[in-house]
Amino acid sequence: MAKVQEAAFEKAETKRDYYHLIINGERMESSNGSTIDACNPATGEIIAKVAKATKEDAEKAVQAARQAFDNGKWKKTPINKRSRVLNKIAAIMRSRFNELVELEVLNSGKSISAAEGQVMQAIEDFEFYAGALVAHRGSVNNVPGQFHNYTEKEPVGVCAQIIPWNYPMMMAAWKIAPAIAVGCSVIVKPASLTPLTAIVLGEICLEAGVPSGVVNIIPGPGADVGNYLVEHPDVNKVAFTGSTPIGRDLMGKASQTLKRVTLELGGKSPNIVFDDADLEAAIDGSLYGIFYNTGQSCEARSRLYVHEDIYDDFVDKFVEKTKKLKLGNPLDKETHVGAIIDQGQLDVINNYVQSAIADGADILTGGKPAVIEGFEGGYWFEPTVIANVNHDMDVVKEEIFGPVVVIMKFKDEKEAIKLANDTEFGLGSALWTKDGGRATRVANQIEAGIVMVNCPFSAFPGTPFGGYKQSGFGRELCIETLDLYTETKSIISFYGSRPLNPFGI
Ligand code: NAP
């Protein structure tokens, strides 16, 4: 493997033509010289070449992470100093905010307003964990006069972190920040379609003073490099965010070496609008709930249930506003809906819509790929609302991951809860009502990790994020996440005045 740069990391340009792997604190070429084309989904153009990791590179990254963990330099760094480094990462990100946002937009096709929020949240994640790690402590459980028992939280070790393309920088931050906060070493495998901001984040970690080998970034094919990490005996934990089928597969493979596993998987989140809801707020929030990030969100509220008494009025107004959504230049602040990630995902979305039509559903608006002036080479789909559907249809049961919502009516609270829970997934959910009692009753019965009440936002640093059922397990973005990157060790210490002689011999 060719070593490209030995010196400690200094500020590198965010936007450039070529991005390297980051292994053991150095920029590296791929061992076989191969590259990935990083594209702009809005135009279809190649914007950069990226070194494409091989299994050999993955092995180097595992060994670097292992060594960095075992030499103890980072995990034994005092908490206040580790906290300072995390804050420095955040500070560098803040100072390069506009560059990071632009790079995220160019490589993902998402609207700049979405990217701004996500990059800001990635910054705040590092700030949150810089504080949270100080509060992350073991506990004491004394037996008075005899035993002084206490626990230590020890970093779990080397973590393979595999992330998807829909929130490239935010997912990298959700993974890296808590892991390094507690002293782990990480190997991040970004999605092949969107590796750029994760690589830059890895460089920023080094620039901020994270020791070599603690943060390694290796874009490469999931089935190849990702699998290699998951099966590697020197990797202690796998943190995966991605689709449910791949998560299921990885869990089986990780079980062979009894790795710790966290899975953040897919969703088909319900959005329930009761007849007593503030209609305008419910329409605006529901619109954002599905079309934010072009519907390519794990927590997209893609099943919309509306009380029968307000159904017609709601649907008319919802469709009217959907038609007003602006697609176009993702770097334009007025754009609401950006591009689809690639041709493959565009085909997936289109096939779901066609299947709904074949099943007898009604397309109220949208329903086909869009052609955007000046962006004809990109991948675009019209924001789509589908009615006259039922729970046997694929379009209602499966995650589409695009700007497509199905809309159905319900007659009472009981039916709304039944419909909401009639899914294999359990990530997000939302409900709109002015009745506080109902909000609590329904929230308590929904089988999902997140319930948004009169609110379209789901992710705040400090608030647990994660799923029930086939949406995975483990919670990110919160103090509890630190437990998922640590082992708890109990130290049981006798301090009585007479020696113990349990057998009495
Ligand atoms: P994906 O196809 O499952 O890929 C996710 C990551 O896994 C990518 O880095 C991919 O690499 C890698 N991968 C693929 N096959 C692998 C294998 N056999 N072994 C190891 N790694 C493998 O998901 P995606 O299409 O990128 O992302 C969309 C999915 O992510 C949706 O289902 C969405 O709901 C979910 N998601 C969930 C959350 C959450 O918090 N619950 C958040 C965001 C997204 P390549 O890119 O090289 O294929």
Side-chain angles (χ1 to χ4, degrees):
M1 179 165 51
K3 203 190 288 183
V4 172
Q5 179 185 312
E6 291 217 16
F9 259 74
E10 285 170 13
K11 184 177 185 298
E13 261 182 65
T14 304
K15 219 165 93 187
R16 47 193 196 256
D17 296 335
Y18 195 91
Y19 293 78
H20 294 93
L21 313 175
I22 311 274
I23 299 177
N24 206 20
E26 290 162 0
R27 289 201 185 95
M28 298 277 183
E29 297 286 3
S30 156
S31 60
N32 65 8
S34 59
T35 55
I36 297 170
D37 288 337
C39 291
N40 178 352
T43 61
E45 287 162 0
I46 297 171
I47 52 172
K49 296 265 181 202
V50 182
K52 179 179 175 183
T54 61
K55 286 183 187 167
E56 195 182 319
D57 300 319
E59 180 60 32
K60 295 266 182 196
V62 172
Q63 292 319 322
R66 187 78 259 163
Q67 213 180 5
F69 186 76
D70 292 344
N71 74 24
K73 192 172 165 192
W74 178 243
K75 71 180 171 198
K76 289 185 183 154
T77 298
I79 279 178
N80 60 325
K81 287 197 183 150
R82 252 190 275 145
S83 173
R84 207 180 303 146
V85 172
L86 265 75
N87 272 321
K88 188 155 180 206
I89 294 170
I92 297 171
M93 290 169 80
R94 271 186 197 281
S95 72
R96 294 167 70 174
F97 180 75
N98 290 337
E99 296 169 56
L100 293 172
V101 167
E102 190 182 343
L103 189 63
E104 190 77 328
V105 171
L106 289 175
N107 193 195
S108 68
K110 66 179 71 210
S111 68
I112 190 164
S113 57
E116 281 175 343
Q118 291 160 26
V119 172
M120 185 50 75
Q121 212 219 55
I123 295 168
E124 289 171 353
D125 291 341
F126 281 96
E127 292 167 343
F128 172 76
Y129 283 112
L133 82 99
V134 178
H136 191 242
R137 288 275 187 280
S139 60
V140 176
N141 181 30
N142 276 329
V143 180
Q146 298 181 63
F147 296 95
H148 174 60
N149 299 347
Y150 64 97
T151 61
E152 292 277 11
K153 301 277 186 185
E154 297 186 344
V156 74
V158 172
C159 306
Q161 304 184 311
I162 302 175
I163 57 175
W165 47 258
N166 63 326
Y167 299 134
M169 167 143 272
M170 203 170 77
M171 290 297 110
W174 283 25
K175 295 279 181 276
I176 296 172
I180 67 170
V182 294
C184 291
S185 301
V186 304
I187 304 144
V188 179
K189 200 218 78 66
S192 297
L193 291 166
T194 54
L196 303 189
T197 45
I199 293 172
V200 175
L201 179 56
E203 295 174 353
I204 289 174
C205 289
L206 292 162
E207 188 186 332
V210 175
S212 297
V214 172
V215 174
N216 304 278
I217 316 280
I218 54 164
D224 200 9
V225 170
N227 248 331
Y228 189 80
L229 296 175
V230 171
E231 290 178 342
H232 202 294
D234 285 338
V235 171
N236 305 101
K237 173 176 169 107
V238 174
F240 173 78
T241 299
S243 59
T244 295
I246 304 278
R248 208 176 276 137
D249 180 51
L250 293 193
M251 189 172 163
K253 288 179 173 140
S255 72
Q256 295 308 304
T257 39
L258 284 181
K259 288 182 176 48
R260 280 69 186 129
V261 175
T262 312
L263 298 175
E264 297 280 4
L265 308 176
K268 189 76 184 176
S269 300
N271 185 7
I272 308 168
V273 183
F274 288 98
D275 49 346
D276 62 357
D278 174 334
L279 201 63
E280 285 306 307
I283 289 167
D284 294 344
S286 302
L287 205 67
Y288 186 85
I290 178 62
F291 297 119
Y292 166 72
N293 214 47
T294 321
Q296 300 171 127
S297 300
C298 49
E299 81 291 10
R301 272 72 78 202
S302 49
R303 290 183 292 140
L304 182 46
Y305 300 101
V306 182
H307 190 274
E308 58 188 10
D309 289 353
I310 57 165
Y311 181 85
D312 290 341
D313 191 22
F314 182 97
V315 170
D316 284 351
K317 290 178 174 152
F318 185 80
V319 168
E320 196 183 305
K321 286 212 171 181
T322 301
K323 288 178 181 165
K324 288 186 181 157
L325 289 169
K326 190 167 172 236
L327 280 72
N329 183 359
L331 285 167
D332 181 346
K333 296 234 178 203
E334 303 291 309
T335 295
H336 300 117
V337 180
I340 305 299
I341 194 70
D342 69 354
Q343 184 64 49
Q345 185 60 20
L346 188 66
D347 293 342
V348 167
I349 296 166
N350 202 20
N351 288 341
Y352 271 114
V353 173
Q354 295 312 313
S355 82
I357 294 168
D359 287 342
D362 296 333
I363 308 295
L364 303 187
T365 183
K368 59 183 190 307
V371 177
I372 308 293
E373 200 184 330
F375 294 86
E376 290 82 358
Y379 316 108
W380 301 87
F381 202 85
E382 295 173 349
T384 299
V385 182
I386 307 181
N388 194 21
V389 293
N390 63 58
H391 275 224
D392 292 329
M393 294 181 184
D394 288 349
V395 79
V396 176
K397 287 189 293 193
E398 295 174 14
E399 184 180 43
I400 298 174
F401 226 56
V404 179
V405 66
V406 292
I407 188 161
M408 284 163 274
K409 56 175 90 160
F410 66 91
K411 63 176 183 310
D412 58 22
E413 206 174 292
K414 194 169 163 216
E415 188 185 21
I417 294 165
K418 187 165 178 278
L419 289 167
N421 289 338
D422 182 24
T423 171
E424 64 172 359
F425 298 108
L427 186 58
S429 61
L431 60 103
W432 302 86
T433 176
K434 284 188 193 148
D435 179 340
R438 166 178 282 160
T440 307
R441 271 194 312 276
V442 177
N444 286 349
Q445 292 175 77
I446 289 201
E447 297 161 356
I450 304 148
V451 184
M452 291 159 260
V453 179
N454 298 325
C455 162
F457 306 121
S458 61
F460 295 84
T463 303
F465 189 102
Y468 282 25
K469 306 199 282 190
Q470 303 286 309
S471 290
F473 51 82
R475 294 292 178 270
E476 294 196 303
L477 208 56
C478 55
I479 293 214
E480 293 90 322
T481 312
L482 298 176
D483 282 332
L484 302 176
Y485 285 102
T486 46
E487 298 283 14
T488 301
K489 178 181 282 174
S490 294
I491 294 118
I492 297 161
S493 166
F494 177 66
Y495 70 98
S497 52
R498 282 185 305 159
L500 288 171
N501 181 4
F503 279 134
I505 298 169

